[in-house]
Amino acid sequence: MDAPKEFGLRNVSSHCSISEMDDYDLSRLLDKPRLNIERQRSFDERSLSELSIGLTRGLENFVDSTCSPGARSGFDTPASSARNSFEPHPMVAEAWEALRRSLVYYRRQPVGTIAAYDHASEEVLNYDQVFVRDFVPSALAFLMNGEPDIVKNFLLKTLHLQGWEKRIDRFKLGEGAMPASFKVLHDPIRKSDTIVADFGESAIGRVAPVDSGFWWIILLRAYTKSTGDLSLAETPECQKGMRLILALCLSEGFDTFPTLLCADGCSMIDRRMGIYGYPIEIQALFFMALRCALSMLKHDAEGKEFVERIVKRLHALSFHMRSYFWLDFQQLNDIYRYKTEEYSHTAVNKFNVIPDSIPEWVFDFMPTRGGYFIGNVSPARMDFRWFALGNCVAILSSLATPEQSMAIMDLIESRWEELVGEMPLKIAYPAIESHDWRIITGCDPKNTRWSYHNGGSWPVLLWLLTAACIKTGRPQIARRAIDLAESRLLKDSWPEYYDGKLGRFVGKQARKYQTWSIAGYLVAKMLLEDPSHLGMISLEEDKQMKPVIKRSYSWTC
């Protein structure tokens, strides 16, 4: 087989990703025969005055103009134009070159990017595979750069893999399960390519990736928003793929909560870290995927049933998460004063959480202004740890109310040293140590304190932080975080993660040239340069899902 033609570094303007913010009235949605997606402005107009801080000098003129599908936004990527107030950083060109080196081809067509391009590493393990979650920032970078074909190829290829029979030992996985990753095997003699997929049977712990299907739906919407092309999402294959994913997570069982019950290691944190139960990352992605699917499902005989189930679940899930997962100063004080062993539907302490189980660190960590969604809530258990991905996705999906979104950003500013330090962004805070580390992680040598998933700093999270900052009108926070990243990432050869309380040290087992570290930086830069890209990955609040809950001090101060 001939070697695939390499993409050269192109100075290509970004596609306009201008689209409406999916501000749906769920109570009326069921009556609509069809949902048409229009391309309008893709970020909240109310924050324009705040976005002017550190953004483009010509932003006001840009926002007043409306781009049609397929048009260019006027900002050149990767080399910024003279209109942009950001000086082109030498890292940008280097990042694009590194990202293109990671491309994977199947029958001469690019279908994804490998997890890491680290020739110095002795053990390849599975870092030479295309991971669904890892490819998301790469896909967004290509979409923002006006190169949607690779994203379309990826969506279709993983959709094809979804149809494979999936077995672990003698047990068959659900039909809708998406792979964690896949690898393209090239046979130079036969000049043929073969794909091998991993649905969890080769993963550490043999856990299926719950998040893969959610990321696939979110990425399908991002592609639709960026290109204005509705035809892909409307194909029978994509419609069926969405329904199969939804059938897995909307099935009825013994659960008394609308949240999804998950095993440890089912998401980005793919090792034992005590997130079993109802982890915030999965719940936020679940919520976002439901809303994205709602905007793309056809209202035909098969689709309408799922639309009805989604609407009901969204109402229940938003109330549950905003009421029971949210923590701020007032709520912490209330939990501290909880009575226990309450019986009946009038109980205040509904999960029978013992106040003595509140860890000491959270009292000092919680500022007067600010709040966040805690890591997990289940009977007699609250995991008070901060998890960055879940909270950022909660903002982007509008699982968090506008007040909660601002409180999350207040917390990040107030606890910058703890959550950002010298390299954005802590995946979880604080680290598990000593006896707790032995019990919770099973003495995992990779997840020692302040390393990897246990309080490590992950540059890929920069794009999620930046998107959340823009949505909340706080771009200066993103600018500060990007400046930190630019001081180290290229010099350190784009590590997978950093270790230490402040994230000062390259991770002890971190791969170099980690693709999503590279892509996360590029997406963060392009989001700040052209905030209209936010429409790909952001959903506005649906007013029908506002629960009646007590407003705390941090919301009204």
Side-chain angles (χ1 to χ4, degrees):
M1 186 181 71
D2 294 332
K5 184 178 180 181
E6 284 291 330
F7 286 102
L9 182 63
R10 298 190 297 140
N11 184 8
V12 181
S13 300
S14 303
H15 268 303
C16 258
S17 58
I18 296 181
S19 52
E20 92 290 4
M21 295 300 293
D22 298 311
D23 194 1
Y24 300 125
D25 182 342
L26 294 181
S27 64
R28 292 181 294 174
L29 183 62
L30 301 181
D31 299 328
K32 294 183 179 180
R34 191 64 175 274
L35 183 64
N36 292 319
I37 302 177
E38 300 175 4
R39 290 169 63 82
Q40 301 170 2
R41 301 210 172 95
S42 64
F43 59 97
D44 195 346
E45 307 259 19
R46 64 181 166 75
S47 63
L48 289 181
S49 60
E50 295 167 283
L51 282 169
S52 63
I53 304 173
L55 294 180
T56 57
R57 285 191 291 265
L59 180 60
E60 292 165 357
N61 294 333
F62 165 78
V63 172
D64 289 337
S65 64
T66 303
C67 296
S68 59
R72 303 293 185 183
S73 66
F75 291 97
D76 291 333
T77 307
S80 302
S81 75
R83 291 175 55 196
N84 195 333
S85 63
F86 294 107
E87 290 298 323
H89 198 285
M91 278 180 62
V92 173
E94 296 271 3
W96 275 107
E97 184 179 343
L99 181 59
R100 295 189 192 284
R101 281 201 306 268
S102 72
L103 284 169
V104 173
Y105 293 83
Y106 178 74
R107 296 176 181 173
R108 303 188 185 184
Q109 296 295 318
V111 292
T113 50
I114 58 174
Y117 193 80
D118 187 358
H119 290 306
S121 176
E122 295 180 1
E123 286 186 294
V124 175
L125 296 178
N126 56 357
Y127 283 84
D128 62 345
Q129 298 184 21
V130 179
F131 280 82
V132 173
R133 76 174 68 93
D134 290 40
F135 181 67
V136 171
S138 296
L140 295 176
F142 285 118
L143 287 174
M144 293 177 186
N145 200 40
E147 302 176 62
D149 288 349
I150 183 176
V151 182
K152 183 177 182 179
N153 294 341
F154 170 85
L155 290 167
L156 291 174
K157 187 51 60 182
T158 47
L159 182 62
H160 173 72
L161 296 175
Q162 184 194 42
W164 288 12
E165 183 177 278
K166 302 166 277 282
R167 287 184 180 274
I168 297 181
D169 293 333
R170 298 184 179 182
F171 185 73
K172 184 178 178 182
L173 273 68
E175 189 179 1
M178 281 287 186
S181 63
F182 65 86
K183 183 175 182 177
V184 178
L185 302 176
H186 301 288
D187 188 335
I189 298 175
R190 296 183 179 180
K191 296 183 179 181
S192 63
D193 292 344
T194 306
I195 284 186
V196 178
D198 176 18
F199 291 89
E201 68 270 26
S202 300
I204 295 173
R206 303 300 187 266
V207 179
V210 176
D211 62 339
S212 286
F214 298 153
W215 279 123
W216 187 88
I217 292 175
I218 292 166
L219 187 55
L220 179 61
R221 176 187 175 273
Y223 172 86
T224 302
K225 289 289 184 181
S226 174
T227 63
D229 177 16
L230 305 177
S231 61
L232 179 62
E234 291 180 345
T235 60
E237 293 79 13
C238 283
Q239 291 289 310
K240 180 182 178 182
M242 282 190 285
R243 292 196 302 268
L244 288 175
I245 295 169
L246 294 170
L248 280 180
C249 52
L250 293 176
S251 58
E252 296 178 350
F254 292 99
D255 286 319
T256 54
F257 313 131
T259 41
L260 281 182
L261 181 62
C262 303
D264 241 341
C266 66
S267 58
M268 179 181 176
I269 298 178
D270 57 1
R271 300 169 75 91
R272 182 174 161 189
M273 269 292 292
I275 66 166
Y276 63 88
Y278 306 91
I280 178 61
E281 176 178 334
I282 292 298
Q283 312 315 320
L285 287 172
F286 179 33
F287 183 87
M288 188 166 191
L290 288 178
R291 293 199 64 194
C292 289
L294 196 60
S295 71
M296 295 184 291
L297 281 172
K298 291 183 178 180
H299 288 228
D300 53 19
E302 294 175 298
K304 189 172 183 180
E305 176 194 351
F306 280 95
V307 168
E308 293 172 351
R309 293 166 69 182
I310 289 172
V311 169
K312 292 177 182 177
R313 190 62 165 263
L314 282 172
H315 278 281
L317 184 60
S318 62
F319 177 84
H320 183 91
M321 297 298 296
R322 294 170 181 177
S323 302
Y324 305 127
F325 274 67
W326 180 253
L327 187 73
D328 56 19
F329 185 87
Q330 184 59 55
Q331 182 66 8
L332 178 60
N333 205 160
D334 291 345
I335 296 171
Y336 176 70
R337 292 167 50 82
Y338 268 169
K339 296 179 181 179
T340 60
E341 310 302 327
E342 293 180 300
Y343 184 79
S344 87
H345 63 277
T346 60
V348 175
N349 185 2
K350 294 185 178 182
F351 299 95
N352 196 37
V353 175
I354 311 302
D356 287 345
S357 69
I358 303 174
E360 287 295 327
W361 65 265
V362 77
F363 292 104
D364 295 326
F365 179 72
M366 180 59 69
T368 305
R369 290 176 58 89
Y372 64 104
F373 289 98
I374 63 174
N376 219 311
V377 176
S378 57
R381 175 180 177 239
M382 296 182 81
D383 183 350
F384 289 91
R385 284 177 293 174
W386 152 273
F387 291 90
L389 193 151
N391 276 274
C392 288
V393 172
I395 291 174
L396 295 176
S397 65
S398 289
L399 172 59
T401 64
E403 296 89 352
Q404 288 173 334
S405 296
M406 295 302 290
I408 293 171
M409 301 312 297
D410 288 341
L411 177 80
I412 292 173
E413 281 197 304
S414 298
R415 297 294 177 257
W416 186 266
E417 188 94 342
E418 292 88 345
L419 302 181
V420 181
E422 296 185 20
M423 176 57 65
L425 182 65
K426 287 290 179 199
I427 187 173
Y429 180 88
I432 303 169
E433 305 182 60
S434 305
H435 180 69
D436 287 341
W437 169 77
R438 289 190 288 271
I439 297 299
I440 293 174
T441 74
C443 300
D444 187 349
K446 195 167 185 177
N447 272 329
T448 54
R449 64 177 186 172
W450 305 114
S451 180
Y452 202 50
H453 299 140
N454 190 12
S457 300
W458 290 68
V460 63
L461 297 173
L462 188 61
W463 79 265
L464 284 161
L465 174 64
T466 301
C469 289
I470 292 173
K471 184 173 181 182
T472 54
R474 312 275 276 274
Q476 67 278 8
I477 298 178
R479 178 70 262 169
R480 185 181 174 191
I482 289 173
D483 287 344
L484 284 174
E486 287 179 337
S487 68
R488 292 284 305 273
L489 279 180
L490 180 59
K491 182 176 66 176
D492 294 335
S493 302
W494 307 99
E496 179 183 11
Y497 63 94
Y498 285 77
D499 285 353
K501 259 192 174 183
L502 298 176
R504 295 180 63 193
F505 304 98
V506 174
K508 58 185 176 183
Q509 295 187 41
R511 291 299 194 277
K512 299 293 184 71
Y513 294 98
Q514 185 79 12
T515 304
W516 68 358
S517 295
I518 297 164
Y521 166 73
L522 287 172
V523 172
K525 289 286 284 187
M526 287 189 281
L527 280 169
L528 270 185
E529 291 173 2
D530 185 353
S532 74
H533 290 311
L534 186 65
M536 294 185 205
I537 48 172
S538 178
L539 295 154
E540 280 304 277
E541 183 184 28
D542 190 296
K543 305 302 188 295
Q544 299 300 314
M545 290 193 294
K546 271 197 170 182
V548 180
I549 54 179
K550 184 170 65 176
R551 297 174 64 84
S552 66
Y553 181 76
S554 68
W555 296 2
T556 56
C557 208

